[in-house]
Amino acid sequence: MSFFKRLKDKLMGNPAEEEKVVEVNENEDETAEKLEDAKEPALIEATVEEIDLATEIPKVEGPIETELPELMEEPVQHEVQEVAIVEEKKPSAWSITQKFKAGLEKTRNSFTSKVNDLVARYRKVDEDFFEELEDLLLQADVGFETVMELMDKLRFEVQRKNIKDTNGIQAVISEKLVEIYEQGEEDLIDINMQPDGELTVILFVGVNGVGKTTTIGKLAHRLKTQGKTVVLAAGDTFRAGAIDQLQVWGDRVGCEVIKQSEGSDPAAVMYDAIRAAKNRKADVLICDTAGRLQNKVNLMNELEKVHRVISREIPNAPHEVLLALDATTGQNALVQAQTFKEATNVTGIVLTKLDGTAKGGIVLAIRNKLHIPVKFVGLGEKMDDLQPFDAERYVYGLFAEGLDKELQNNED
């Protein structure tokens, strides 16, 4: 499958499924009219029947009155319920794509506008063009190693396809960025959920101020909408207000929060939380932790202790260790990731505030240098703005306008 075909399928979703949903929505008024029409004859028949029964057998009037409404209303209620179920669809592929496009607007306005200017100035793809493109990618915090790898791939592709001018070069750049991120690996964003009936433990780590607690609340909301029972553990017992902040999120999304007093041992909180989650037969336990990176040694020792307690109570747990990073910090986020990777077995990155930075290229730097997948990205303040990371949608968000033209030209 070509890159353009794969990109279009990912952005737009399955056309057949979209048509089904549209068809149901378009016929909604017609269905409602049919239901109204179905109600009226039922009422007329009931009225006639009641008159006959009232004339012939007056004594059984009471029971018939109680049974007839059920006979009249049950089919109507059933049909209405089916319409409601059809309408409750997951977000469409296009709506998710639009979230990435909107969330990467600052990066796109800064980075892509410069790429467009570069393409406009250089009609030919030559070494000067590559050198300027290299500088632009470095300014977007894509990372030195990633930029060097991308330049090698671009030069090879330009030579292989004998590309002479800059028309369509954005599509080639996009394709190679996706290849670099994925590196042949699949299912990078999937959470390591345990089988039904077993508790999945997700440990969140990260420095203070990156949006860790907010991200926990949003992830809990996401899992709840998938039908999971979620319990939260308030393990950040040292930051003032951290426990209360998690409790607010717990109340907002409808999750129980297991906590102790401020200053308590975080490992003891985790022990209580695991017991409580097991007793309540919860599906997922999400654990908050402290993030005082200035006390690096103490913090890392504390995280190791928390990890030991969780592993002792549930073998092979935690099943995910998610590191929350603030995208607006750029290369500092990369340094934090390296530090936490040394102390804990980080399985995935949650990149917060991606909508608030012009340096969204940090996603590629993290993946390529640390070999840790970015599993979720924060694309806004709303509850559902925490989205599973998707390489194609991410790259589309970077080059939206240019790729829209290329997709159109490809179709024509």
Side-chain angles (χ1 to χ4, degrees), residues 177-244:
L177 285 174
V178 171
E179 285 181 8
I180 288 173
Y181 185 87
E182 292 180 340
Q183 298 288 349
E185 298 183 46
E186 297 179 356
D187 300 325
L188 294 173
I189 64 171
D190 291 343
I191 291 180
N192 182 24
M193 297 295 294
Q194 300 306 290
D196 291 343
E198 295 184 23
L199 180 63
T200 300
V201 181
I202 301 174
L203 185 67
F204 260 84
V205 298
V207 302
N208 293 335
V210 298
K212 180 158 46 76
T213 306
T214 300
T215 302
I216 288 172
K218 290 181 178 180
L219 180 58
H221 168 72
R222 183 178 186 84
L223 293 170
K224 287 265 294 182
T225 59
Q226 296 171 2
K228 306 293 184 185
T229 304
V230 183
V231 173
L232 307 180
D236 188 356
T237 59
F238 296 101
R239 180 170 64 88
I243 297 173
D244 293 337

Side-chain angles (χ1 to χ4, degrees), residues 37 39 69 85 102 117 173 177 189 194 228 263 322 325 342 391:
D37 293 341
K39 275 185 179 181
I85 290 171
D117 292 342
I173 296 170
L177 285 174
I189 64 171
Q194 300 306 290
K228 306 293 184 185
L322 299 182
L325 295 175
E342 292 169 5

Side-chain angles (χ1 to χ4, degrees), residues 189-377:
I189 64 171
D190 291 343
I191 291 180
N192 182 24
M193 297 295 294
Q194 300 306 290
D196 291 343
E198 295 184 23
L199 180 63
T200 300
V201 181
I202 301 174
L203 185 67
F204 260 84
V205 298
V207 302
N208 293 335
V210 298
K212 180 158 46 76
T213 306
T214 300
T215 302
I216 288 172
K218 290 181 178 180
L219 180 58
H221 168 72
R222 183 178 186 84
L223 293 170
K224 287 265 294 182
T225 59
Q226 296 171 2
K228 306 293 184 185
T229 304
V230 183
V231 173
L232 307 180
D236 188 356
T237 59
F238 296 101
R239 180 170 64 88
I243 297 173
D244 293 337
Q245 186 185 0
L246 190 65
Q247 184 64 62
V248 168
W249 272 105
D251 295 339
R252 188 179 299 176
V253 301
C255 294
E256 183 177 1
V257 178
I258 308 302
K259 58 187 179 182
Q260 292 185 13
S261 60
E262 221 172 87
S264 301
D265 182 3
V269 177
M270 299 307 168
Y271 177 82
D272 289 347
I274 290 172
R275 290 301 177 93
K278 284 181 175 179
N279 290 338
R280 290 153 181 72
K281 293 183 170 32
D283 300 305
V284 183
L285 172 64
I286 305 179
C287 306
D288 193 9
T289 61
R292 308 168 314 249
L293 196 57
Q294 62 270 26
N295 298 326
K296 179 180 172 183
V297 176
N298 292 339
L299 174 61
M300 298 311 167
N301 289 339
E302 183 181 290
L303 288 176
E304 289 173 5
K305 183 179 177 183
V306 166
H307 200 288
R308 284 198 307 272
V309 169
I310 294 173
S311 300
R312 187 180 67 213
E313 296 301 313
I314 302 177
N316 301 320
H319 306 101
E320 290 281 1
V321 179
L322 299 182
L323 171 60
L325 295 175
D326 183 345
T328 63
T329 61
Q331 289 295 314
N332 284 338
L334 197 60
V335 175
Q336 291 173 24
Q338 288 174 312
T339 302
F340 277 95
K341 187 182 180 184
E342 292 169 5
T344 60
N345 180 29
V346 177
T347 59
I349 303 291
V350 180
L351 200 59
T352 67
K353 309 175 189 178
L354 190 60
D355 59 309
T357 181
K359 296 189 174 184
I362 192 64
V363 174
L364 294 159
I366 290 170
R367 174 76 185 116
N368 205 40
K369 186 166 185 178
L370 300 180
H371 305 290
I372 303 173
V374 176
K375 296 208 171 189
F376 292 94
V377 288

Side-chain angles (χ1 to χ4, degrees), residues 148-187:
M148 293 302 102
E149 183 178 350
L150 175 62
M151 289 299 106
D152 290 342
K153 287 180 177 291
L154 282 176
R155 286 185 175 93
F156 176 79
E157 194 70 8
V158 165
Q159 185 177 2
R160 186 177 72 86
K161 292 184 177 180
N162 196 26
I163 297 173
K164 299 296 184 183
D165 57 47
T166 55
N167 290 331
I169 193 66
Q170 287 190 15
V172 180
I173 296 170
S174 303
E175 183 176 5
K176 296 308 164 188
L177 285 174
V178 171
E179 285 181 8
I180 288 173
Y181 185 87
E182 292 180 340
Q183 298 288 349
E185 298 183 46
E186 297 179 356
D187 300 325

